[in-house]
Amino acid sequence: MTVCISGASGLVGNEILIQLLNNSQIEKVLVLARNPLRFGHPKMQVVIVPFEQLDQLEVAEKIDIGFCALGTTLRKAGNKSRQQEIDRDYVVSFSNFCKKTGVEKIGVVSSIGANEQSSNFYLRTKGEMEQGVARLEIPVTVFIRPSFLIGPRKEKRTGEKLIQGILFLISPLLFGKAKKYRGIHVSKVAQKLIEATLSEPKGVHYI
Protein backbone atom coordinates (compact mmCIF):
# COMPACT_ATOMS: atom_id res chain seq x y z
CA MET A 1 0.00 0.00 0.00
CA THR A 2 0.97 3.61 -0.55
CA VAL A 3 0.28 5.96 2.35
CA CYS A 4 0.27 9.75 2.54
CA ILE A 5 0.81 11.65 5.79
CA SER A 6 0.81 15.29 6.86
CA GLY A 7 1.93 16.64 10.22
CA ALA A 8 4.82 14.15 10.35
CA SER A 9 7.14 16.57 12.15
CA GLY A 10 4.87 16.85 15.19
CA LEU A 11 4.77 14.68 18.30
CA VAL A 12 2.10 12.19 17.20
CA GLY A 13 2.76 12.57 13.48
CA ASN A 14 6.42 11.62 13.83
CA GLU A 15 5.44 8.48 15.72
CA ILE A 16 2.85 7.59 13.07
CA LEU A 17 5.49 8.05 10.37
CA ILE A 18 8.03 5.81 12.14
CA GLN A 19 5.46 3.06 12.67
CA LEU A 20 4.34 3.26 9.04
CA LEU A 21 7.93 2.98 7.81
CA ASN A 22 8.36 -0.13 9.97
CA ASN A 23 5.08 -1.68 8.81
CA SER A 24 5.61 -4.47 6.28
CA GLN A 25 2.18 -3.82 4.71
CA ILE A 26 3.28 -0.33 3.66
CA GLU A 27 5.34 -0.11 0.48
CA LYS A 28 5.71 3.66 0.26
CA VAL A 29 5.07 6.67 2.51
CA LEU A 30 4.50 10.04 0.85
CA VAL A 31 5.11 12.84 3.35
CA LEU A 32 3.62 16.27 2.71
CA ALA A 33 5.61 18.80 4.70
CA ARG A 34 6.31 22.52 4.87
CA ASN A 35 9.99 21.91 5.65
CA PRO A 36 12.47 19.08 4.98
CA LEU A 37 12.57 16.26 7.53
CA ARG A 38 15.74 15.53 9.45
CA PHE A 39 16.11 11.97 8.24
CA GLY A 40 15.55 9.80 5.17
CA HIS A 41 14.27 6.29 4.53
CA PRO A 42 14.11 4.05 1.42
CA LYS A 43 10.28 3.85 1.67
CA MET A 44 9.78 7.58 2.23
CA GLN A 45 9.30 10.40 -0.26
CA VAL A 46 9.00 13.96 1.04
CA VAL A 47 7.07 16.59 -0.93
CA ILE A 48 7.61 20.17 0.25
CA VAL A 49 4.37 22.08 -0.16
CA PRO A 50 2.80 25.17 1.47
CA PHE A 51 -0.46 23.91 2.94
CA GLU A 52 -2.19 26.99 1.53
CA GLN A 53 -1.57 25.40 -1.89
CA LEU A 54 -2.70 21.85 -1.16
CA ASP A 55 -5.66 22.24 -3.50
CA GLN A 56 -3.18 22.74 -6.36
CA LEU A 57 -1.02 19.70 -5.58
CA GLU A 58 -1.22 16.73 -7.93
CA VAL A 59 0.45 13.32 -7.74
CA ALA A 60 0.54 10.70 -10.46
CA GLU A 61 0.26 7.62 -8.25
CA LYS A 62 -2.80 6.34 -6.41
CA ILE A 63 -2.68 6.71 -2.65
CA ASP A 64 -4.47 4.06 -0.61
CA ILE A 65 -4.53 5.57 2.89
CA GLY A 66 -4.11 9.04 4.40
CA PHE A 67 -3.02 10.03 7.90
CA CYS A 68 -3.20 13.54 9.30
CA ALA A 69 -1.65 14.79 12.53
CA LEU A 70 -1.62 18.51 11.79
CA GLY A 71 -2.08 20.73 14.80
CA THR A 72 -0.56 23.56 16.78
CA THR A 73 -0.96 25.55 19.97
CA LEU A 74 -2.35 29.05 20.33
CA ARG A 75 1.04 30.19 21.57
CA LYS A 76 2.85 28.89 18.46
CA ALA A 77 0.12 30.04 16.07
CA GLY A 78 0.08 33.56 17.50
CA ASN A 79 -3.68 34.07 17.29
CA LYS A 80 -6.93 32.12 17.14
CA SER A 81 -7.46 32.72 13.44
CA ARG A 82 -4.10 31.17 12.56
CA GLN A 83 -4.70 28.22 14.88
CA GLN A 84 -8.06 27.54 13.23
CA GLU A 85 -6.36 27.65 9.85
CA ILE A 86 -3.85 24.96 10.88
CA ASP A 87 -6.01 22.77 13.13
CA ARG A 88 -9.15 22.89 11.01
CA ASP A 89 -8.70 24.25 7.48
CA TYR A 90 -5.39 22.56 6.62
CA VAL A 91 -6.69 19.21 7.88
CA VAL A 92 -9.79 19.48 5.70
CA SER A 93 -7.66 20.55 2.72
CA PHE A 94 -5.34 17.59 3.21
CA SER A 95 -8.30 15.23 3.47
CA ASN A 96 -9.78 16.68 0.28
CA PHE A 97 -6.43 16.16 -1.47
CA CYS A 98 -6.47 12.54 -0.30
CA LYS A 99 -9.98 12.02 -1.63
CA LYS A 100 -8.98 13.39 -5.06
CA THR A 101 -6.09 10.91 -5.24
CA GLY A 102 -8.39 7.96 -4.58
CA VAL A 103 -7.83 7.41 -0.86
CA GLU A 104 -10.42 5.04 0.61
CA LYS A 105 -9.25 5.24 4.23
CA ILE A 106 -8.11 8.16 6.35
CA GLY A 107 -7.00 8.45 9.98
CA VAL A 108 -7.00 11.84 11.69
CA VAL A 109 -5.65 12.95 15.07
CA SER A 110 -8.23 15.03 16.93
CA SER A 111 -8.74 15.65 20.66
CA ILE A 112 -10.82 14.32 23.50
CA GLY A 113 -13.88 16.52 23.92
CA ALA A 114 -13.93 17.67 20.29
CA ASN A 115 -17.34 19.21 19.60
CA GLU A 116 -18.33 21.82 17.01
CA GLN A 117 -20.80 23.31 19.51
CA SER A 118 -18.36 23.54 22.43
CA SER A 119 -17.87 26.87 24.20
CA ASN A 120 -14.14 26.03 24.37
CA PHE A 121 -12.33 27.48 21.36
CA TYR A 122 -9.87 24.60 20.92
CA LEU A 123 -12.47 21.85 21.26
CA ARG A 124 -14.87 23.69 18.96
CA THR A 125 -12.12 24.03 16.34
CA LYS A 126 -11.39 20.30 16.53
CA GLY A 127 -15.10 19.52 16.27
CA GLU A 128 -15.45 21.73 13.19
CA MET A 129 -12.44 19.96 11.70
CA GLU A 130 -14.02 16.55 12.26
CA GLN A 131 -17.26 17.76 10.72
CA GLY A 132 -15.45 19.13 7.65
CA VAL A 133 -13.52 15.90 7.08
CA ALA A 134 -16.57 13.70 7.63
CA ARG A 135 -18.49 15.67 4.99
CA LEU A 136 -15.99 14.51 2.36
CA GLU A 137 -17.38 10.97 2.78
CA ILE A 138 -14.11 9.11 2.44
CA PRO A 139 -15.30 5.49 2.81
CA VAL A 140 -13.38 4.78 6.04
CA THR A 141 -12.82 7.85 8.22
CA VAL A 142 -11.26 7.43 11.65
CA PHE A 143 -10.80 10.17 14.25
CA ILE A 144 -8.69 9.43 17.30
CA ARG A 145 -9.37 11.64 20.32
CA PRO A 146 -6.50 11.32 22.79
CA SER A 147 -6.27 13.05 26.15
CA PHE A 148 -3.00 14.71 27.28
CA LEU A 149 -0.16 13.41 25.11
CA ILE A 150 2.95 11.99 26.74
CA GLY A 151 6.18 11.78 24.78
CA PRO A 152 9.47 13.49 23.91
CA ARG A 153 8.61 16.94 22.57
CA LYS A 154 11.14 18.87 20.50
CA GLU A 155 10.24 22.16 22.15
CA LYS A 156 9.99 22.87 25.83
CA ARG A 157 6.56 23.88 27.11
CA THR A 158 6.31 25.66 30.42
CA GLY A 159 4.77 23.48 33.10
CA GLU A 160 4.38 20.44 30.85
CA LYS A 161 6.83 18.25 32.76
CA LEU A 162 4.93 19.11 35.94
CA ILE A 163 1.63 18.14 34.29
CA GLN A 164 3.11 14.84 33.10
CA GLY A 165 4.29 14.12 36.63
CA ILE A 166 0.86 14.86 38.07
CA LEU A 167 -0.83 12.68 35.46
CA PHE A 168 1.54 9.84 36.26
CA LEU A 169 0.39 10.01 39.87
CA ILE A 170 -3.35 10.44 39.35
CA SER A 171 -3.90 8.28 36.24
CA PRO A 172 -4.38 5.08 38.29
CA LEU A 173 -7.18 6.89 40.14
CA LEU A 174 -9.06 7.62 36.92
CA PHE A 175 -11.36 4.73 36.06
CA GLY A 176 -14.81 4.15 34.62
CA LYS A 177 -15.97 7.14 32.58
CA ALA A 178 -12.96 9.16 33.80
CA LYS A 179 -10.47 6.63 32.38
CA LYS A 180 -10.44 8.39 29.02
CA TYR A 181 -8.84 11.44 30.63
CA ARG A 182 -5.67 9.57 31.53
CA GLY A 183 -2.51 10.79 29.85
CA ILE A 184 -1.49 8.55 26.97
CA HIS A 185 1.85 7.96 25.27
CA VAL A 186 2.07 9.00 21.64
CA SER A 187 3.26 5.53 20.58
CA LYS A 188 -0.07 4.05 21.73
CA VAL A 189 -2.04 6.77 19.94
CA ALA A 190 -0.17 6.15 16.69
CA GLN A 191 -0.49 2.38 16.97
CA LYS A 192 -4.22 2.49 17.62
CA LEU A 193 -4.90 4.99 14.83
CA ILE A 194 -2.98 2.92 12.27
CA GLU A 195 -4.64 -0.34 13.36
CA ALA A 196 -8.14 1.18 13.30
CA THR A 197 -7.69 2.92 9.95
CA LEU A 198 -6.49 -0.31 8.36
CA SER A 199 -9.19 -2.54 9.88
CA GLU A 200 -12.40 -0.57 10.51
CA PRO A 201 -15.37 -1.11 8.14
CA LYS A 202 -16.86 1.67 6.04
CA GLY A 203 -18.18 4.61 8.01
CA VAL A 204 -17.02 7.37 10.37
CA HIS A 205 -15.40 6.13 13.57
CA TYR A 206 -14.38 7.95 16.75
CA ILE A 207 -11.79 6.48 19.13
Side-chain angles (χ1 to χ4, degrees), residues 113-128:
N115 187 331
E116 70 276 10
Q117 296 182 349
S118 175
S119 58
N120 179 280
F121 167 75
Y122 178 75
L123 300 181
R124 184 172 66 253
T125 298
K126 290 296 186 182
E128 291 171 351

Side-chain angles (χ1 to χ4, degrees), residues 35-157:
N35 301 294
L37 299 187
R38 296 181 180 180
F39 70 98
H41 191 279
K43 290 167 62 171
M44 182 173 74
Q45 178 185 349
V46 180
V47 176
I48 305 300
V49 56
F51 286 107
E52 296 85 353
Q53 300 175 14
L54 266 178
D55 58 339
Q56 303 172 31
L57 181 64
E58 295 184 4
V59 292
E61 61 197 306
K62 182 184 183 299
I63 299 171
D64 302 293
I65 305 173
F67 287 98
C68 187
L70 284 170
T72 188
T73 63
L74 183 58
R75 182 178 179 182
K76 288 182 68 175
N79 56 66
K80 289 184 176 181
S81 177
R82 178 59 176 162
Q83 187 176 15
Q84 281 184 322
E85 186 176 35
I86 296 171
D87 280 41
R88 181 190 63 195
D89 302 342
Y90 287 176
V91 179
V92 176
S93 293
F94 170 78
S95 303
N96 191 47
F97 161 78
C98 286
K99 182 178 181 178
K100 290 192 297 183
T101 62
V103 161
E104 296 183 358
K105 301 182 176 185
I106 189 167
V108 181
V109 179
S110 185
S111 171
I112 190 169
N115 187 331
E116 70 276 10
Q117 296 182 349
S118 175
S119 58
N120 179 280
F121 167 75
Y122 178 75
L123 300 181
R124 184 172 66 253
T125 298
K126 290 296 186 182
E128 291 171 351
M129 174 274 290
E130 290 183 354
Q131 197 174 55
V133 174
R135 283 199 190 106
L136 296 174
E137 297 183 341
I138 295 172
V140 177
T141 301
V142 178
F143 297 105
I144 195 161
R145 294 170 165 178
S147 182
F148 186 86
L149 296 168
I150 299 172
R153 297 187 186 274
K154 295 177 183 178
E155 76 279 6
K156 293 182 179 179
R157 295 184 182 178

